[in-house]
Amino acid sequence: MSRSKNITVWLIWLAVFPTSMAYLYFAIEPNFQGYWFDLIAFAIVMCAVSVFPIQVGSITILFVNGVSFAVFLYFGLIAEIILTQLALVALFISIRLKKSEFYRIATNSTMLFLTSIFAAVVYYTLGGTHGVLSLSTLDEIIPLVGYVIGSIVVNQFLLTIIDVFVKGNKFSAVPKSLFIDGLTTMMIFPFGLILYILYLEIGVPGIFIVGFPAILLSVVISTYHKGRKVNTYLHDTSQIGHELSKKLNVKSVLDTFITEVEKLIPMSNLYVYDISNSSRSMTVIRHVDREQDKGLEDLSLVYGEGFAGRIYKDQKALIMLSRKQLDKIPDLELPDEVHSAIGVPILRGNSVVGVIVIASKQIRAYEKYHLMLLEILGNFLSVAIENARHYQSEKNKSQRDRLTGLYNYRYFTEHLEGYALDLMEKGLEEKLSVVLFDLDSFKKLNDTYGHEAGNEVLIELARRLEAYIGERGIVARYGGEEFTVLLKGIEHSEAIQLAEDIRYMIAQEPFVIQQHMIEGEDQVKVYVTASIGVATYPDHCESPEELIRQADRSMYVGAKRSGKNRVASAAVAM
């Protein structure tokens, strides 16, 4: 909620509650002499019930309303307001209200206060009184019905105001909470009447005879609801695992993991560390800070250092719920504003290969089930990363040349055919050029310096080509000492110029070889040249599939046979 709305809510509370409460007290002048023990007993039951709220969606159901109803009937409005406000305090303490939600203290206090007053006004208007009631005549029953209906109406009215003006939600003429509110009222207010009647009959023991089952029922239902909530989280966690298993590269795995975890576990910061067990160091590979757009790329820790380093060292999950606990960790890497943190190791076999840390600026932001969820997600992440790396490795083996690391002939031809088919299906026209070249007299180089030296030349040439071409095209090893480059969306003249640049780059800078057969030399510099052929679709062929054949023909006919170390165009060779 915005700062201005927060201030407005508290100003309204200050204007309404303290002054109105003081006025009511002096106007009514309640006298509880001789009933303090009874009121304390009611307060104990109300606070105990408040500690275990029943949550249905966004609606909180409390048996407090039934107890407060009994208090109202016997002791009057002032006692009911005071005990209800005490129960509200107990509720907020039990749910560990976050700092960002402190506005709820003012909104709920004001709402309960106004509901009590409005319902009481209806009750008094219809002739209702306090003390010992027989509840057997219409004169007593009608005010009770008016009290119940009045409390529902004003409660829904105030909830709508809070929902629209405080939370910013859309207005609804028939709010979803109306049905739940009416249903729970039918259950809670009869409970209040039973409590009231039993209190009249046997006094304070009656409060606990009725109150204890109410407390027990609240505990059971609250625990059941919490269990269902955890089961829902576990189901969501399982779905995240399925999503992660679908990703075929590590980046997608990490991106999906972070997106889904942010929905499941409250956080202000998230860190994913990669561990190098050889150097016993940790490096952040993913970082999320909800208040900063930029990532944290340079954070690194060593074995045992900081919060994440301790998890690495101990090889077990860790949860800390206050800044006082966190400050005891030497070299803490978490921001000063963080007050809660959980972390789990990412295990592969018996080794820690990574660490996940989630932090919050709230005190006691996490429970044990959050840590359990994160441990499960950490296992899913470990398996997904391993699968993605295995897939990528196998993919590289099928697409990459083992010696140079460039794409191989199979990938190059499949990519060209697939890209050409995509253009045709979309009805697009785009020029495609293939630059095909062969190293001149490469057999002689192998015979002179050895095949290991020849491999060094091929590896270095691959490195130069990738650095020079970059994102402008696709470089592949065609076979042996032949290489090819696919260029998209450029004119034939530009492709010719790029081929000339490649030829010049190869010919002008010598290749330094270490593994050679020349005795007495540590390293040898050799000069290599290349004959290059260039073809462009649709300038020189009717289909992209013919490009390689046209480029190959232009290389042999136009370059090799014309003296080598030159560039030839398919336009000349045709």
Side-chain angles (χ1 to χ4, degrees):
M1 188 172 68
S2 66
R3 180 180 173 83
S4 60
K5 284 186 178 180
N6 207 320
I7 293 173
T8 302
V9 164
W10 279 103
L11 288 176
I12 292 173
W13 180 84
L14 286 171
V16 172
F17 185 78
T19 53
S20 298
M21 190 63 189
Y23 171 78
L24 287 172
Y25 186 85
F26 289 110
I28 298 174
E29 296 183 352
N31 182 11
F32 304 130
Q33 191 69 31
Y35 291 99
W36 290 111
F37 185 72
D38 302 50
L39 289 170
I40 290 172
F42 275 113
I44 291 172
V45 172
M46 289 178 69
C47 290
V49 171
S50 295
V51 171
F52 301 98
I54 303 167
Q55 197 75 26
V56 180
S58 60
I59 306 299
T60 302
I61 301 173
L62 296 170
F63 281 102
V64 166
N65 295 334
V67 182
S68 67
F69 182 44
V71 172
F72 173 79
L73 290 179
Y74 194 86
F75 295 99
L77 178 60
I78 295 297
E80 188 266 338
I81 290 175
I82 293 174
L83 295 192
T84 301
Q85 296 291 323
L86 282 176
L88 184 64
V89 172
L91 169 64
F92 286 139
I93 291 174
S94 69
I95 65 175
R96 297 173 180 177
L97 197 65
K98 298 177 182 179
K99 187 177 180 180
S100 61
E101 297 179 330
F102 278 2
Y103 71 90
R104 289 176 58 188
I105 297 174
T107 56
N108 283 270
S109 176
T110 305
M111 184 177 72
L112 290 176
F113 179 69
L114 293 177
T115 300
S116 297
I117 292 176
F118 185 84
V121 168
V122 174
Y123 182 78
Y124 297 141
T125 302
L126 295 175
T129 59
H130 300 291
V132 180
L133 305 175
S134 64
L135 303 178
S136 59
T137 65
L138 284 176
D139 290 341
E140 291 180 336
I141 293 175
I142 289 174
L144 294 180
V145 175
Y147 181 92
V148 172
I149 295 174
S151 65
I152 293 175
V153 170
V154 72
N155 188 60
Q156 287 300 314
F157 176 73
L158 294 173
L159 279 175
T160 300
I161 291 176
I162 292 172
D163 201 46
V164 174
F165 295 101
V166 177
K167 297 181 180 180
N169 296 326
K170 291 183 179 180
F171 172 76
S172 176
V174 182
K176 296 179 181 178
S177 59
L178 180 59
F179 174 75
I180 297 175
D181 202 10
L183 193 63
T184 55
T185 298
M186 292 173 63
M187 176 181 68
I188 290 174
F189 279 95
F191 160 79
L193 283 174
I194 294 171
L195 175 59
Y196 170 74
I197 293 169
L198 199 58
Y199 173 68
L200 290 180
E201 294 294 328
I202 61 175
V204 173
I207 299 174
F208 291 105
I209 289 173
V210 177
F212 181 75
I215 295 170
L216 186 60
L217 184 60
S218 294
V219 171
V220 171
I221 297 177
S222 178
T223 304
Y224 172 74
H225 174 74
K226 190 173 182 179
R228 289 197 63 184
K229 184 178 179 182
V230 172
N231 287 336
T232 301
Y233 283 150
L234 288 173
H235 177 266
D236 293 342
T237 300
S238 176
Q239 292 299 113
I240 293 173
H242 287 305
E243 287 300 314
L244 291 176
S245 66
K246 297 176 184 178
K247 305 304 175 183
L248 299 179
N249 64 73
V250 175
K251 182 181 182 302
S252 295
V253 168
L254 289 170
D255 290 344
T256 301
F257 175 80
I258 289 173
T259 300
E260 296 300 328
V261 170
E262 281 188 293
K263 300 175 185 176
L264 199 61
I265 301 177
M267 69 177 72
S268 59
N269 298 78
L270 181 147
Y271 307 81
V272 179
Y273 292 87
D274 185 52
I275 289 178
S276 171
N277 283 303
S278 59
S279 62
R280 305 185 96 185
S281 61
M282 311 170 60
T283 305
V284 168
I285 56 175
R286 281 291 189 281
H287 172 247
V288 174
D289 187 331
R290 285 187 167 176
E291 294 187 1
Q292 295 182 6
D293 294 330
K294 62 180 182 179
L296 190 66
E297 307 296 338
D298 57 351
L299 177 60
S300 60
L301 303 170
V302 296
Y303 181 81
E305 181 184 14
F307 186 83
R310 182 169 167 181
I311 295 170
Y312 175 23
K313 180 181 178 181
D314 296 341
Q315 297 192 22
K316 62 182 182 180
L318 184 62
I319 178 170
M320 292 191 172
L321 302 176
S322 70
R323 189 68 200 185
K324 186 177 180 180
Q325 287 180 305
L326 291 169
D327 286 336
K328 292 179 181 179
I329 297 178
D331 304 312
L332 182 67
E333 77 279 15
L334 300 175
D336 293 339
E337 59 270 21
V338 164
H339 289 275
S340 302
I342 55 175
V344 298
I346 303 174
L347 298 172
R348 190 168 301 134
N350 294 322
S351 298
V352 181
V353 296
V355 170
I356 306 168
V357 173
I358 292 179
S360 173
K361 296 178 182 179
Q362 302 296 329
I363 299 173
R364 297 183 299 274
Y366 303 112
E367 297 183 41
K368 288 184 179 179
Y369 76 85
H370 287 124
L371 195 62
M372 176 190 69
L373 294 176
L374 192 59
E375 285 184 302
I376 296 172
L377 290 170
N379 291 331
F380 284 145
L381 181 63
S382 175
V383 173
I385 289 177
E386 183 68 14
N387 289 341
R389 285 175 174 166
H390 177 73
Y391 172 81
Q392 198 62 45
S393 174
E394 293 301 313
K395 183 179 178 181
N396 286 339
K397 288 178 182 178
S398 66
Q399 294 182 346
R400 297 280 180 173
D401 173 60
R402 296 187 63 180
L403 177 66
T404 63
L406 297 176
Y407 287 115
N408 56 28
Y409 169 78
R410 175 184 173 182
Y411 173 82
F412 186 85
T413 54
E414 288 180 351
H415 178 80
L416 176 59
E417 291 171 2
Y419 190 78
L421 180 62
D422 187 54
L423 289 177
M424 181 182 70
E425 289 178 347
K426 293 178 180 178
L428 301 175
E429 293 185 2
E430 181 180 339
K431 291 197 173 185
L432 300 174
S433 298
V434 166
V435 177
L436 181 65
F437 60 92
D438 178 85
L439 297 182
D440 298 324
S441 306
F442 194 71
K443 183 178 181 304
K444 182 179 179 181
L445 185 149
N446 282 334
D447 292 341
T448 304
Y449 300 102
H451 287 280
E452 289 295 330
N455 287 342
E456 284 190 71
V457 171
L458 295 176
I459 293 170
E460 173 61 19
L461 177 57
R463 185 193 64 78
R464 292 187 193 179
L465 286 170
E466 282 192 312
Y468 178 70
I469 298 298
E471 300 296 324
R472 293 182 295 174
I474 295 175
V475 184
R477 185 183 180 193
Y478 193 68
E481 64 270 21
E482 291 183 321
F483 295 80
T484 187
V485 180
L486 175 63
L487 305 170
K488 302 171 184 178
I490 66 173
E491 296 294 330
H492 182 65
S493 58
E494 296 177 75
I496 289 289
Q497 183 57 55
L498 189 142
E500 282 288 355
D501 294 340
I502 292 174
R503 184 196 64 78
Y504 183 82
M505 175 188 67
I506 295 172
Q508 292 302 307
E509 185 179 350
F511 291 80
V512 179
I513 54 179
Q514 307 289 340
Q515 302 180 49
H516 54 78
M517 299 189 302
I518 307 300
E519 295 184 3
E521 298 287 343
D522 292 333
Q523 59 183 27
V524 175
K525 293 182 179 180
V526 297
Y527 285 87
V528 178
T529 61
S531 298
I532 304 177
V534 184
T536 300
Y537 166 81
D539 297 359
H540 309 129
C541 53
E542 296 181 356
S543 67
E545 290 81 355
E546 298 179 41
L547 266 176
I548 296 177
R549 184 171 61 83
Q550 292 294 341
D552 189 50
R553 183 170 180 272
S554 64
M555 179 185 71
Y556 278 100
V557 175
K560 286 286 187 185
R561 294 181 184 178
S562 299
K564 302 179 181 180
N565 190 25
R566 63 185 62 202
V567 175
S569 168
V572 177
M574 289 176 68

